[in-house]
Amino acid sequence: KGEDKDDPFEYIMYQDDKERLDRYIKCKLTETEYKIYGLLVSDCSYQEIADILHINVKAVDNAIQRIKRKIKSLNVDKYSCI
């Protein structure tokens, strides 16, 4: 549901929801966490993220753990900071 490109209305609504959720997540993460989040959802490995951002892999791992905690705690139904 939502990804059906044969139904333009459904597809537009899905894209709108994705954009709203992305803006909501962006406002809850630090700038570095958001960069890491973006690379992670783009299927970059921890090592690739570390290389791109010029940080060590442990810093990437720590940030990902913080990101997971923050996302788990989000009330995405409210989108409170959009």
Side-chain angles (χ1 to χ4, degrees):
K1 181 181 175 186
E3 294 186 64
D4 183 6
K5 293 183 182 178
D6 294 331
D7 183 344
F9 182 72
E10 282 292 318
Y11 183 70
I12 290 168
M13 295 302 292
Y14 174 73
Q15 291 301 319
D16 184 54
D17 286 347
K18 281 177 47 179
E19 290 171 11
R20 289 182 69 220
L21 181 58
D22 185 62
R23 285 193 309 267
Y24 182 70
I25 289 172
K26 185 176 183 177
C27 77
K28 298 297 183 181
L29 301 178
T30 67
E31 183 178 339
T32 300
E33 289 169 348
Y34 186 71
K35 287 178 185 177
I36 291 170
Y37 166 78
L39 292 167
L40 189 64
V41 298
S42 296
D43 287 330
C44 289
S45 69
Y46 284 31
Q47 185 63 59
E48 290 170 326
I49 294 169
D51 292 344
I52 291 167
L53 298 179
H54 306 291
I55 58 178
N56 66 50
V57 175
K58 183 62 179 167
V60 172
D61 181 59
N62 290 341
I64 289 171
Q65 299 314 309
R66 288 192 307 274
I67 291 165
K68 287 178 180 179
R69 282 194 305 273
K70 288 180 180 184
I71 290 175
K72 276 185 177 180
S73 71
L74 296 180
N75 184 351
V76 294
D77 292 332
K78 290 186 178 182
Y79 297 105
S80 63
C81 65
I82 295 176

